[in-house]
């Protein structure tokens, strides 16, 4: 084999690892949606407008990456939306506009996120409660606890330092401003992509593919999955900081984000049930979902189309995954 052919084969293998597993479809869909948006509104792709879109999409990208870690190991996390709402409420209530409280409260938020993820993971792995039931229960607990604490209305205020990450950026000549939120989302994607190439990432995928085989190979399945839940909750906390900075304190913040994140992940070709999918595909899924919402606004469609489209995507993804597993299972 010539050196040129070897390099070409290596490039194909690399692209296959990045965009394989059925995830190439989401990149094509993203291109098509962007093309339609450009046709309807060419100014959308002017650098300032594009940066505004990416800033708005950044929290969903972070949430989708966290959801990816849970889904790829064969589980699901329905608590992230309520956790985002709870974290914003906690931040506003504890900071109450005092700049000096910003960093300590952020540390409290991270600790709370770790605690929520740890509870989810241990209940699922040690008590053997299905992740849908566990995280649904956590979602309701967080939702009710925050409503009880705040009386159903936002209390307190976020400091300027807290909101800076979600709404400010670096001033640049062409794009005017490169949002900090975009840099945070890119950093999250890069770190998790590297993590998935490390032993933990490989065991995470192996656990989702076949947890019994992984256990026989010496993998501590309960530990691997618990860490995935913890990382999901920590990334939901990061998303809460970005959303709080962008949207401020709102009683509705976080509502439905868990399903939007799941939609983004499955749209990226990550198989529900685990064992297949890439971080870049999850990111592309998040950008595609946000682009679809932007397209709906361009077409002046009613907001009720959003849950309808999300539901259709999830149903189609589950049906496709079930079909793939059925065809790949050897017949006796």
């Amino acid at each position: 084999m010539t050196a040129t052919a070897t390099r070409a084969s290596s490039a194909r293998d690399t692209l296959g690892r990045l965009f394989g597993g059925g995830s190439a479809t989401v990149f094509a869909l993203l291109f098509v949606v962007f093309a339609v948006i450009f046709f309807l509104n060419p100014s959308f792709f002017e650098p300032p407008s594009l940066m505004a879109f990416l800033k708005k999409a950044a929290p969903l990208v972070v949430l989708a990456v966290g959801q990816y870690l849970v889904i790829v190991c064969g589980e699901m996390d329905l608590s992230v939306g309520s956790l985002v709402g709870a974290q914003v409420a906690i931040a506003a209530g504890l900071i109450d506009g005092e700049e000096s409280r910003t960093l300590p409260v952020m540390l409290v938020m991270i600790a709370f996120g770790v605690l929520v993820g740890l509870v989810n993971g241990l209940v699922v792995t040690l008590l053997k409660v299905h992740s849908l039931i566990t995280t649904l229960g956590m979602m309701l607990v967080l939702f009710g606890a925050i409503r009880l604490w705040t009386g159903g209305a936002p209390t307190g205020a976020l400091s300027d330092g807290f909101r800076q990450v979600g709404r400010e950026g670096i001033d640049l000549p062409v794009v005017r401003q490169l949002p900090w939120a975009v840099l945070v989302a890119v950093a999250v994607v890069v770190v998790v992509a590297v993590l998935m190439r490390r032993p933990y990432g490989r065991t995470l995928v192996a656990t989702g593919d076949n947890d019994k085989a992984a256990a026989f190979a010496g993998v501590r399945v309960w530990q691997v999955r618990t860490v995935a839940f913890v990382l999901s909750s920590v990334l939901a906390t990061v998303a809460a900081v970005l959303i709080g900075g962008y949207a401020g304190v709102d009683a509705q913040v976080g509502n439905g984000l868990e399903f939007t994140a799941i939609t983004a992940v499955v749209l990226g070709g990550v198989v529900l049930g685990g064992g297949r999918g890439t971080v870049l595909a999850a990111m592309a899924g998040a950008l595609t979902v946000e682009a679809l919402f932007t397209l709906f606004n361009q077409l002046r469609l009613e907001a009720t189309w959003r849950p309808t489209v999300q539901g259709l995507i999830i149903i189609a993804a589950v049906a496709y995954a079930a079909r793939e597993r059925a065809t790949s299972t050897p017949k006796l």
Side-chain angles (χ1 to χ4, degrees), residues 291-309:
L292 282 171
F293 292 163
T294 301
L295 178 60
F296 292 166
N297 291 334
Q298 296 284 346
L299 296 173
R300 302 183 186 278
L301 296 179
E302 296 182 3
T304 50
W305 275 96
R306 290 191 178 192
T308 302
V309 171

Side-chain angles (χ1 to χ4, degrees), residues 4-325:
T4 302
T6 302
R7 285 195 295 269
S9 177
S10 177
R12 285 194 298 269
D13 291 342
T14 301
L15 290 174
R17 286 194 297 270
L18 292 176
F19 307 112
S23 62
T25 305
V26 72
F27 291 93
L29 179 59
L30 180 61
F31 176 80
V32 170
V33 175
F34 274 163
V36 175
I37 293 174
F38 177 77
F39 176 78
L40 296 174
N41 181 20
S43 65
F44 174 80
F45 285 95
E46 293 178 0
S49 298
L50 191 58
M51 286 298 105
F53 166 79
L54 292 176
K55 179 168 71 172
K56 188 177 180 182
L60 181 56
V61 170
V62 174
L63 275 176
V65 171
Q67 193 70 242
Y68 159 79
L69 291 170
V70 176
I71 290 178
V72 83
C73 75
E75 305 293 348
M76 194 174 293
D77 190 353
L78 296 180
S79 67
V80 293
S82 289
L83 181 57
V84 167
Q87 294 283 37
V88 173
I90 289 170
L94 295 182
I95 293 176
D96 200 20
E98 293 289 336
E99 197 68 48
S100 60
R101 299 178 184 175
T102 301
L103 183 57
V105 170
M106 283 187 171
L107 295 177
V108 169
M109 292 170 64
I110 293 173
F112 184 67
V114 171
L115 176 63
V116 170
L118 196 59
V119 171
N120 282 339
L122 293 178
V123 170
V124 170
T125 58
L126 297 186
L127 299 184
K128 305 299 182 183
V129 180
H130 197 284
S131 60
L132 284 177
I133 303 301
T134 300
T135 57
L136 176 62
M138 181 61 75
M139 177 181 74
L140 295 175
V141 167
L142 292 172
F143 182 85
I146 292 302
R147 294 306 183 276
L148 181 64
W149 180 37
T150 63
T155 58
L158 300 172
S159 64
D160 290 338
F162 185 96
R163 299 195 65 181
Q164 185 176 9
V165 180
R167 67 177 179 179
E168 301 294 337
I170 303 172
D171 294 331
L172 295 174
V174 178
V175 298
R176 293 185 186 174
Q177 188 181 81
L178 177 61
W180 289 114
V182 174
L183 296 177
V184 169
V186 170
V188 167
V189 171
V190 170
V191 169
V192 175
V194 172
L195 178 66
M196 295 306 294
R197 300 296 299 273
R198 306 297 296 173
Y200 172 77
R202 291 193 287 269
T203 55
L204 190 69
V205 175
T207 298
D209 187 44
N210 190 326
D211 56 354
K212 292 184 174 60
F216 282 131
V219 175
R220 294 182 179 179
V221 174
W222 73 270
Q223 192 175 78
V224 169
R225 283 179 166 161
T226 299
V227 171
F229 277 104
V230 171
L231 291 175
S232 174
S233 293
V234 169
L235 290 179
T237 301
V238 174
V241 174
L242 300 182
I243 291 173
Y246 180 81
V249 184
D250 190 326
Q252 304 299 318
V253 68
N255 286 3
L257 281 178
E258 60 280 343
F259 296 112
T260 307
I262 292 171
T263 303
V265 173
V266 299
L267 187 59
V270 182
V271 175
L272 291 174
R276 200 175 77 184
T278 68
V279 179
L280 288 181
M283 177 197 70
L287 292 176
T288 302
V289 169
E290 196 63 49
L292 282 171
F293 292 163
T294 301
L295 178 60
F296 292 166
N297 291 334
Q298 296 284 346
L299 296 173
R300 302 183 186 278
L301 296 179
E302 296 182 3
T304 50
W305 275 96
R306 290 191 178 192
T308 302
V309 171
Q310 290 177 205
L312 289 173
I313 290 172
I314 292 174
I315 291 172
V318 172
Y320 176 78
R323 181 176 176 274
E324 285 289 296
R325 290 183 182 275

